[in-house]
Amino acid sequence: MAAKRSAGILLYRRTGGDPEVLLGHMGGPFWARKDAGAWTVPKGEYADDEEPVAAARREFLEELGLPAPDGELAPLGEIRQSGGKVVTVWALEGDVDPSAVVPGTFELEWPPRSGRMREFPELDRVAWFPLAEAGEKLVKGQRVFLDRLANLF
């Protein structure tokens, strides 16, 4: 069985000092009380018949409710997360207002084995972080993308 694949865009901006990156806090009850290691690059799964870069743009829109800004995507490569999923990410310089985000949603049986399906936001909040702080927020498996982004400057 082939590994699941996911693609995303790590949006960054330069505000005079260190670059900042846009991260999303994962939604749902499992992540609700977590902060460190509970943030992610906006990304999502794609099928074999979809181009990864097209999936990255589509997932940005689905996760944030906003299209990715125009601009040139810089490849940051791929990683294999601990669960086996392969994640491919591109960096993009641009700016979005976190208060304008309208996240996509997913359904989950909650509480477990209750038979009740509840809807949760894919990302329950979105924020800009300087690279050093982003390294503390981002899930461990994705932190390498911050190093790769820093090497672009």
Side-chain angles (χ1 to χ4, degrees):
M1 185 166 138
K4 289 185 178 182
R5 301 189 68 80
S6 189
I9 294 174
L10 180 58
L11 195 65
Y12 70 94
R13 67 183 183 185
R14 302 174 212 222
T15 58
D18 287 336
E20 295 179 325
V21 293
L22 185 74
L23 302 178
H25 184 270
M26 292 184 275
F30 178 76
W31 302 101
R33 290 185 171 83
K34 295 176 171 56
D35 188 57
W39 294 72
T40 185
V41 172
K43 62 171 183 45
E45 291 182 10
Y46 63 95
D48 291 340
D49 63 347
E50 186 176 17
E51 288 296 317
V53 71
R57 288 191 177 277
R58 175 184 53 76
E59 285 294 335
F60 191 94
L61 176 60
E62 286 179 13
E63 296 252 330
L64 303 178
L66 304 169
D70 291 332
E72 186 175 336
L73 294 172
L76 297 179
E78 63 181 38
I79 54 107
R80 183 175 298 272
Q81 294 189 151
S82 60
K85 183 185 289 186
V86 176
V87 179
T88 306
V89 170
W90 287 265
L92 175 63
E93 186 168 10
D95 201 356
V96 298
D97 179 357
S99 69
V101 168
V102 180
T105 60
F106 68 97
E107 278 195 337
L108 175 71
E109 182 181 12
W110 193 258
R113 295 176 294 286
S114 68
R116 291 187 312 201
M117 297 301 289
R118 292 190 43 202
E119 190 172 74
F120 296 96
E122 298 251 1
L123 302 173
D124 59 20
R125 57 189 183 264
V126 175
W128 288 100
F129 296 101
L131 287 178
E133 187 177 350
E136 299 167 8
K137 301 285 187 182
L138 201 57
V139 294
K140 186 176 180 182
Q142 295 177 20
R143 292 177 187 161
V144 67
F145 292 125
L146 299 176
D147 296 333
R148 294 175 184 174
L149 175 64
N151 289 333
L152 295 179
F153 301 113

